[in-house]
Amino acid sequence: MSRVESIAGEEVLDSRGRPTVAATCRLEGGATARVSVPSGASTSPVEAVELRDGDPRRYRGLGCRTAAANVSGPINQAVAGRELDQESFDQVLIDLDGTAQKGRLGANALLAASMAFAIARSHESLLQPFEQFARDAGLAPHRLPRPTVNLFSGGLHAGKQIAIQDVLVVSLSARTIDDALAMTSDVYAAAIELTRKRYGSRALVADEGGLAPEFASTDAMLADAVQSLIDAGLRPGVDAALCVDVASTHVYESELYRIDSAALERAQMIDRVVGWIKDFPIVSVEDALVFDDWEGWSELRRRVAGRSIVLADDMTATNRSRIDQAAEAGAADALLLKVNQAGTLSDGRRALEAARSHGWTVTVSARSGETEDAWLSDLAVGWEAEQLKVGSITRSERLAKWNRLLSIERQTDLPIAAWPSR
Ligand code: PGA
Ligand code: ZN
């Protein structure tokens, strides 16, 4: 238990230059932490919602002054002077907000407060944040998460120049984080060279740092990713493989999936995705279908079993009951865990526990709008995620997390998680 002295919010800017929330928590013994929280663009309709000011004259309505004031005002009043653990602290926030999607005070305000309290407690206990996250979850980390790194970007992160959102590289043979990042950096360098030659485009990057040239089709995008692996001297499917985030909820209009120039019905979309997995070394497919198509997801999962994991982001939105529902429907076997979809650390931990109870693999993930904070890597290690998805290997808001993971590796010497076999 820790006694809160004060908690205060501020409006700061994220990696897209849009407002987000930072919070500073001070405990009575003097331990202090300041954190900031990320913000998504390809959001799920069922995730916890941010509070935005809505004043069109300021940041196009996206200001976070009210959310920050909620941290300094009602949240501070509710927790100051009280002795709390993480669970009871988060419960105060949940009760104070009182809504299912945390929109009254704002999930951005709640998560900033929750995370600042957790990290201040780690300082008070002379623990590193990952040790504190592990202790609170009753875990003792014995491995590090394998990086999945954006190579190419599309969808809402790149002006929709191509429908699918991310093509990522995962090193399969790397035995350390250090090796995995060195391999990925070579692939990224090869992709820069390839896009320069093939598309005449400079290495301009999208929101998460992926390259975003004018691909002729999704197949061309995937073929270019494979070529980049080869150009970096890697054997596709052996040394490294691809992960895909279709982010389908955002290409679904009038019950059809808009992929390249086609408008596909559910069955055709499943065939298309299965085709990609047959033709390219894809080992993970995220959000291949719209967020609430439980049946479609389970059919896809049956058809790709043994080849690719089926990773749920928009469908489950880091929400315990949606994870239970998805597991019951056989709709996925892996969770993308974004703690700001949940709104507090304790809600995130309940999602983690639900995923584990169904035997799912867990990827801890950043958002497309990030900050220079690195607590995400501590969370991934402390919660024993098998993968960490942070975006690319460029842009400092991404590198802050990879560099923190490297630092944790140097300190702990823990082995890297194996790629899950399905
Ligand atoms: P978002 O995208 O942060 O814009 O929601 C990330 C993802 O879909 O994985
Ligand atoms: Zn996603």
Side-chain angles (χ1 to χ4, degrees):
M1 302 282 257
S2 299
R3 195 177 292 279
V4 181
E5 187 181 294
S6 65
I7 186 150
E10 312 163 59
E11 181 188 64
V12 295
L13 297 182
D14 74 11
S15 55
R16 279 191 280 245
R18 295 180 190 163
T20 186
V21 179
T24 302
C25 178
R26 190 177 165 86
L27 302 179
E28 251 168 30
T32 303
R34 180 179 181 280
V35 306
S36 50
V37 298
S39 170
S42 94
T43 50
S44 165
V46 290
E47 68 178 76
V49 292
E50 298 162 345
L51 183 66
R52 299 283 181 179
D53 296 337
D55 173 359
R57 292 163 306 178
R58 200 169 168 274
Y59 289 115
R60 304 164 307 285
L62 297 173
C64 287
R65 282 179 171 169
T66 318
N70 286 342
V71 178
S72 307
I75 292 176
N76 182 54
Q77 278 156 28
V79 296
R82 290 181 67 182
E83 195 163 8
L84 299 161
D85 60 12
Q86 191 67 42
E87 184 94 33
S88 52
F89 181 94
D90 289 344
Q91 197 55 50
V92 170
L93 304 186
I94 292 163
D95 294 342
L96 198 60
D97 176 80
T99 65
Q101 278 182 288
K102 303 186 171 70
R104 199 177 76 81
L105 296 176
N108 41 359
L110 265 54
L111 182 66
S114 178
M115 191 61 71
F117 180 62
I119 297 182
R121 286 170 54 241
S122 77
H123 296 162
E124 183 178 59
S125 329
L126 303 180
L127 294 174
Q128 300 205 43
F130 73 88
E131 296 169 315
Q132 185 71 54
F133 294 136
R135 183 191 276 186
D136 289 347
L139 300 169
H142 59 279
R143 63 179 176 221
L144 299 173
R146 192 170 285 270
T148 62
V149 183
N150 284 47
L151 188 62
F152 294 136
S153 296
L156 290 175
H157 297 169
K160 291 191 164 178
Q161 101 287 18
I162 188 102
I164 70 172
Q165 185 176 285
D166 312 316
V167 175
L168 306 102
V169 174
V170 61
S171 68
L172 298 175
S173 60
R175 306 250 217 148
T176 62
I177 301 296
D178 191 48
D179 279 352
L181 293 178
M183 275 168 86
T184 311
S185 173
D186 287 351
V187 178
Y188 193 81
I192 289 176
E193 193 52 27
L194 181 147
T195 52
R196 191 182 61 77
K197 284 197 193 130
R198 194 160 288 172
Y199 301 94
S201 63
R202 286 175 292 138
L204 300 176
V205 300
D207 289 1
E208 295 193 343
L211 298 164
E214 293 291 330
F215 300 107
S217 65
T218 306
D219 278 54
M221 185 187 199
L222 292 166
D224 287 348
V226 174
Q227 190 58 52
S228 304
L229 297 178
I230 295 167
D231 292 349
L234 303 175
R235 291 165 298 170
V238 180
D239 300 318
L242 305 180
C243 307
V244 171
D245 181 2
V246 186
S248 246
T249 302
H250 301 275
V251 302
Y252 191 68
E253 280 167 36
S254 318
E255 307 200 349
L256 294 170
Y257 294 92
R258 313 272 162 183
I259 299 287
D260 301 336
S261 53
L264 306 175
E265 288 177 359
R266 176 214 267 170
Q268 297 169 306
M269 182 63 185
I270 294 174
D271 286 346
R272 181 70 63 102
V273 174
V274 171
W276 291 334
I277 292 170
K278 280 194 181 132
D279 294 345
F280 301 99
I282 295 170
V283 293
S284 169
V285 63
E286 177 182 339
D287 286 358
L289 296 162
V290 67
F291 81 102
D292 54 359
D293 182 6
W294 309 98
E295 247 177 74
W297 275 75
S298 38
E299 188 190 332
L300 175 75
R301 181 165 166 253
R302 272 195 303 278
R303 290 186 54 190
V304 305
R307 269 187 288 216
S308 170
I309 58 171
V310 174
L311 182 56
D313 171 8
D314 289 352
M315 179 171 68
T316 40
T318 316
N319 177 297
R320 172 178 48 181
S321 54
R322 289 192 68 89
I323 294 164
D324 289 341
Q325 208 177 336
E328 201 163 304
D333 45 38
L335 176 71
L336 196 83
L337 193 161
K338 292 166 166 168
V339 74
N340 79 327
Q341 286 180 328
T344 69
L345 258 175
S346 300
D347 287 288
R349 189 174 50 72
R350 286 189 275 272
L352 172 77
E353 287 164 1
R356 293 304 188 200
S357 75
H358 302 298
W360 288 17
T361 295
V362 173
T363 299
V364 162
S365 171
R367 301 304 304 248
S368 49
E370 267 296 336
T371 78
E372 59 277 23
D373 271 19
W375 51 257
L376 191 80
S377 303
D378 286 83
L379 193 68
V381 173
W383 284 2
E384 300 190 324
E386 286 90 343
Q387 291 96 38
L388 177 59
K389 182 187 180 199
V390 157
S392 195
I393 190 149
T394 177
R395 297 185 57 135
S396 293
E397 77 280 6
R398 316 284 151 194
L399 271 303
K401 281 89 168 161
W402 295 136
N403 287 336
R404 173 64 184 151
L405 190 59
L406 280 171
S407 162
I408 296 174
E409 173 167 74
R410 286 188 197 113
Q411 295 171 58
T412 61
D413 232 2
L414 287 171
I416 188 169
W419 183 259
S421 52
R422 294 281 167 201

